[in-house]
Amino acid sequence: NDVHSRVESSKENIGYAELATLVKTYKKSNPNTLLFDIGDTFHGQTIANLVRGESIVDLLNAVGYDAMVPGNHDFNYGYDRLPELGKLARFPIVSANVKRSDGSRLLPPYVIKEVDGLKLGIFGLTTPETAFKTHPNNVKGLAFANPAEEAKAIVAELKGKVDAIVAIAHLGVDASSADTSLKLAQAVPDIDVILDGHSHTTMEKGMLENGVLIAQTGEYLKNVGRVDLTFANGKLTGKPASLMT
């Protein structure tokens, strides 16, 4: 989460080349692995800004991402750019609460991924702070619906169709924010895991809120987070979180 186009490695962050090696190595030991980006990724450095995010999509394609949710800064090129980047991506860019003036969604709300015979419902949520945390002209004509209310509707749609529900949510845990992943977990306890972003919070082992695991890796690819979902007889029995780097 919150890579902000830090493409190359440094003393502080691993960069996408090392990430690709890490993912490839890990998938050899556990091929039942999904990789997600939690937003604020397409903008922030010259390599991204000059081509309005296309270079970052190319990198995410090469690494092998499975889904992404846009953060507030992913709207910095104007919201029409996101569907364009979505067409270039070999993975879905999802968000349930970003809506046009006619009420239609800008992006698909969720994707269902099947892994080793199990179905995971993965839905996206983008912070309503996007309305003022990008230039207002970038999102003119868009509405950012209440994340918890949208999540309730999506969870109701997914229940019975999937074995676990994962929210990829660029919401954060800052107390000053009106909409956070903590409030989401309190309002929608049927979410199993919230993979979080926006507040640049490093959670070494995640945190449990109302029985929902919230996990976040900080910023700039300094860390790669891992959540192990374990099942017995089709039922989720464990969801420990850790940092791999």
Side-chain angles (χ1 to χ4, degrees):
N1 60 274
D2 297 275
V3 177
H4 291 278
S5 304
R6 264 51 171 200
V7 167
E8 297 181 350
S9 62
S10 70
K11 292 181 180 179
E12 293 187 337
N13 59 288
I14 66 172
Y16 280 114
E18 188 173 335
L19 174 64
T21 301
L22 179 69
V23 171
K24 184 178 180 180
T25 301
Y26 185 72
K27 283 188 174 182
K28 284 183 179 179
S29 62
N30 185 356
N32 303 319
T33 298
L34 298 174
L35 182 64
F36 302 109
D37 182 279
I38 317 299
D40 276 6
T41 300
F42 292 146
H43 186 276
Q45 300 293 306
T46 302
I47 190 173
N49 300 350
L50 285 177
V51 291
R52 303 173 68 222
E54 183 173 344
S55 57
I56 306 303
V57 172
D58 291 341
L59 286 167
L60 299 184
N61 283 339
V63 175
Y65 276 77
D66 289 282
M68 174 187 177
V69 61
N72 48 292
H73 288 297
D74 296 314
F75 290 81
N76 284 6
Y77 307 118
Y79 72 82
D80 286 337
R81 183 58 173 160
L82 277 171
E84 292 175 355
L85 294 174
K87 291 178 181 178
L88 299 173
R90 295 199 291 266
F91 53 88
I93 300 175
V94 296
S95 188
N97 68 316
V98 183
K99 298 186 177 183
R100 299 182 180 91
S101 56
D102 63 1
S104 63
R105 289 188 171 101
L106 179 69
L107 299 163
Y110 64 84
V111 61
I112 295 175
K113 292 279 186 177
E114 187 165 342
V115 183
D116 196 29
L118 296 165
K119 292 182 178 180
L120 303 182
I122 298 107
F123 72 97
L125 294 169
T126 299
T127 176
E129 293 179 349
T130 304
F132 57 87
K133 288 196 171 180
T134 185
H135 194 286
N137 286 344
N138 293 333
V139 292
K140 189 176 182 179
L142 285 187
F144 295 84
N146 181 281
E149 294 305 313
E150 292 298 312
K152 288 176 184 177
I154 294 297
V155 168
E157 185 174 340
L158 289 173
K159 283 192 74 173
K161 298 179 182 178
V162 298
D163 300 289
I165 297 176
V166 177
I168 52 177
H170 193 88
L171 296 176
V173 293
D174 285 340
S176 59
S177 295
D179 300 284
T180 66
S181 285
L182 292 168
K183 292 179 180 179
L184 177 63
Q186 292 161 5
V188 196
D190 286 332
I191 299 172
D192 294 298
V193 178
I194 300 172
L195 301 180
D196 193 32
H198 190 46
S199 57
H200 294 220
T201 308
T202 302
M203 299 180 179
E204 291 189 7
K205 295 184 178 180
M207 62 183 297
L208 280 176
E209 180 68 26
N210 200 23
V212 180
L213 174 70
I214 301 172
Q216 194 184 150
T217 68
E219 61 189 6
Y220 307 147
L221 263 182
K222 293 177 181 177
N223 304 296
V224 177
R226 166 180 164 182
V227 175
D228 291 303
L229 301 184
T230 56
F231 292 83
N233 299 318
K235 300 294 184 181
L236 182 63
T237 56
K239 48 186 179 182
S242 60
L243 296 179
M244 298 174 70
T245 60

